[in-house]
Amino acid sequence: MSMWSKVKEDFKKATENGKLIGSGKAVNLSYLGGHPKIKAGGEVIVAKGSNQNTLLIGSQEIEVLKLEWDEKGQRSAGKAAAGAIIGGVLTGGIGLLAGAALGGRKKDNSLAVVSFKEGVLEGNIYFRCDQKEYQKLSNLLY
């Protein structure tokens, strides 16, 4: 395959994925691992499967047994303190409160956990996603 053919093929695939995502038939998620046939540590397109309660992850179609939301977030106390100090110095009392609020924003580390079955293989697949992405993933099952 020539380099130009590869570029054209990649562009076509990206365009098709973009149309799926735009129409709500797929979602792009950060894949953390869990399926032995899918390489961990990257972005994957998760699309509606051929049947109800199935998902297509890359080229692997799986039967979903359960979908769970594991909400996790963390605040940086150091950033909140720095924001409060800077806000307090620059604008007085009200800046202290605003600086603490802005400096201590929550980082979303939430997970979607998909319990799946594929033939005799059963396990859990982990995706990093926010609440909106989780809702889109959930909608793909119905």
Side-chain angles (χ1 to χ4, degrees):
M1 178 182 282
S2 72
M3 187 174 101
W4 182 245
S5 297
K6 175 81 170 122
V7 169
K8 285 181 8 182
E9 184 179 318
D10 288 346
F11 180 75
K12 182 179 177 184
K13 187 175 181 180
T15 303
E16 289 170 3
N17 288 340
K19 287 178 183 176
L20 285 174
I21 291 170
S23 66
K25 295 179 182 174
V27 62
N28 188 24
L29 296 174
S30 177
Y31 175 68
L32 301 177
H35 194 288
K37 296 179 184 175
I38 303 171
K39 184 180 174 189
E43 299 284 320
V44 294
I45 302 293
V46 181
K48 189 177 191 90
S50 59
N51 298 313
Q52 188 172 349
N53 295 329
T54 62
L55 291 174
L56 187 63
I57 304 170
S59 62
Q60 300 295 317
E61 186 166 35
I62 60 166
E63 177 186 353
V64 177
L65 304 174
K66 184 168 54 169
L67 178 62
E68 296 179 60
W69 171 250
D70 185 15
E71 187 173 11
K72 294 180 181 178
Q74 55 188 74
R75 293 187 188 273
S76 170
K79 286 183 181 178
I85 291 168
I86 292 169
V89 168
L90 294 177
T91 61
I94 194 74
L96 179 78
L97 297 174
L102 291 175
R105 284 188 297 228
K106 193 173 183 180
K107 181 180 178 192
D108 191 1
N109 287 326
S110 299
L111 299 175
V113 182
V114 178
S115 298
F116 75 96
K117 180 177 183 179
E118 182 184 21
V120 296
L121 179 65
E122 287 189 24
N124 292 323
I125 297 175
Y126 301 93
F127 298 103
R128 178 147 341 271
C129 64
D130 61 24
Q131 192 170 5
K132 287 181 182 179
E133 292 169 327
Y134 175 78
Q135 187 63 43
K136 290 177 185 177
L137 179 63
S138 177
N139 289 339
L140 293 176
L141 293 172
Y142 305 106

